[in-house]
Amino acid sequence: MQNMLSAQQAEQREFWRQLCPGMSIEGDAFAAPAAVGDPADLVPILNREGYIQVADALPEARIAPIRHAVSTLFQCGIPLPFAFVYDEMWLAFQSLSRFLSTALGEDYRALPDFWVWHVKPNEDSAGWGPHRDRVQPTIYDDNSPQTLTVWLPFTDATPLNGCMYVLPAHRDPRFIERRWDGEGNNVVYNPQDIRALPATAGSLLAWNQAVLHWGGRGSRLGAAPRISAAFEFQRGDCAPFNQPLLDPYRMPTFAERLGLIGKQALQYRHMYPLTDDVAAVATSLYQRFMPGVSLSI
């Protein structure tokens, strides 16, 4: 798909407002708490299984505009992380603060690591293959996390459009060995241990970053694309796993968002190789709006 975005367009608020009139940039909306029940009930599950799943965490009224915006970017050939120019994407993750502060501590921080997916329901489309988000140690002896990945589906995620799959922590020999890198670290030796995680739109999924997981392949039998986004977080009392750490309660400025989006395109190009024009836009945004941040590009 051809990129339809120039660096000059990317820096214009009016371009983004006209593209998705139902979305806001630096507006006055606030993050209404997500419906996650008692977060303390999720912690033992997270520590044993390595992940949690909560249905209906976000209402349809809050996810529908995001779903439409991501679809619009996809149709226009604009890299999907640009959905984070809009307040609504940040607010969706900010609404999870009760769960995140319980799992990671009150002073938790957001990592500068996020992504957005649009997986079409056909055999040519798939989520990211089997991987662990970090292979250095990120959990304590009781498997409580130092870092978490939070994944939000904005459409129903099914086995026919690439839902998530995990190898639960208590079924993974690596959690016994306490080593998550090296040869074979993404191999499942007993396929019956794999757990499919179909999820309705608005669900909350989160996993510690040692968990082996992946997105499935789409199918022409699927009814709709899988549209989703992920954001990473860490405990505030740990050394940064990436920089700059972000205050999860503060909405980044428009300029800061552009710098962060450029960073995502550059640091994840091993997953999504960049064309020369997309790389030029991402590099320009990164260099102009995130000065002084070290990134190998």
Side-chain angles (χ1 to χ4, degrees):
M1 185 177 294
Q2 184 179 4
N3 176 46
M4 302 296 291
L5 180 69
S6 67
Q8 182 179 13
Q9 288 173 316
E11 296 172 23
Q12 297 174 356
R13 288 178 176 82
E14 193 57 31
F15 171 81
W16 297 110
R17 292 189 175 115
Q18 291 179 359
L19 189 68
C20 296
M23 302 288 275
S24 62
I25 299 175
E26 295 185 323
D28 56 3
F30 64 93
V36 297
D38 185 348
D41 293 338
L42 300 174
V43 171
I45 301 171
L46 178 64
N47 292 353
R48 180 177 189 270
E49 306 283 337
Y51 77 93
I52 58 98
Q53 182 171 4
V54 180
D56 302 321
L58 301 178
E60 172 65 15
R62 288 166 60 190
I63 64 173
I66 297 174
R67 181 169 60 237
H68 182 265
V70 174
S71 296
T72 300
L73 296 182
F74 181 81
Q75 292 164 7
C76 293
I78 295 174
L80 299 184
F82 277 97
F84 277 91
V85 299
Y86 298 113
D87 299 343
E88 287 79 1
M89 189 69 89
W90 294 92
L91 292 170
F93 288 95
Q94 288 182 354
S95 73
L96 304 170
S97 61
R98 286 180 58 244
F99 162 68
L100 288 166
S101 62
T102 301
L104 295 174
E106 293 290 342
D107 62 344
Y108 78 94
R109 293 290 180 261
L111 282 151
D113 303 307
F114 53 81
W115 200 256
V116 183
W117 292 266
H118 183 291
V119 179
K120 294 186 291 186
N122 62 48
E123 280 75 8
D124 295 326
S125 298
W128 289 0
H131 66 284
R132 303 175 195 270
D133 289 332
R134 297 187 192 276
V135 294
Q136 70 267 47
T138 59
I139 57 175
Y140 295 108
D141 290 342
D142 64 352
N143 285 348
S144 59
Q146 298 173 18
T147 61
L148 279 178
T149 296
V150 174
W151 187 84
L152 300 177
F154 304 115
T155 60
D156 291 349
T158 75
L160 297 178
N161 69 0
C163 73
M164 298 304 301
Y165 293 81
V166 301
L167 180 62
H170 69 283
R171 305 300 303 176
D172 185 347
R174 293 282 177 152
F175 279 78
I176 299 174
E177 299 170 12
R178 315 307 286 180
R179 179 171 175 265
W180 295 274
D181 62 356
E183 184 177 356
N185 78 326
N186 62 352
V187 175
V188 178
Y189 293 99
N190 185 350
Q192 286 184 306
D193 290 337
I194 294 171
R195 190 168 297 166
L197 301 180
T200 54
S203 294
L204 159 66
L205 277 73
W207 51 82
N208 74 55
Q209 295 198 309
V211 162
L212 180 62
H213 64 285
W214 59 96
R217 182 166 297 282
S219 167
R220 60 187 177 85
L221 301 176
R226 189 204 84 187
I227 296 174
S228 58
F231 215 124
E232 300 181 17
F233 300 88
Q234 74 159 76
R235 292 185 61 89
D237 55 3
C238 293
F241 285 87
N242 197 358
Q243 293 184 344
L245 292 180
L246 308 174
D247 180 348
Y249 300 101
R250 185 181 75 84
M251 187 78 72
T253 66
F254 175 66
E256 290 169 336
R257 298 177 206 185
L258 293 179
L260 288 164
I261 291 165
K263 178 181 175 73
Q264 306 317 301
L266 296 171
Q267 72 182 6
Y268 287 124
R269 59 183 171 185
H270 62 291
M271 294 289 199
Y272 286 98
L274 302 179
T275 61
D276 290 345
D277 56 344
V278 173
V281 172
T283 301
S284 173
L285 295 176
Y286 170 76
Q287 291 179 341
R288 292 191 61 192
F289 299 110
M290 290 191 67
V293 177
S294 175
L295 179 67
S296 176
I297 52 175

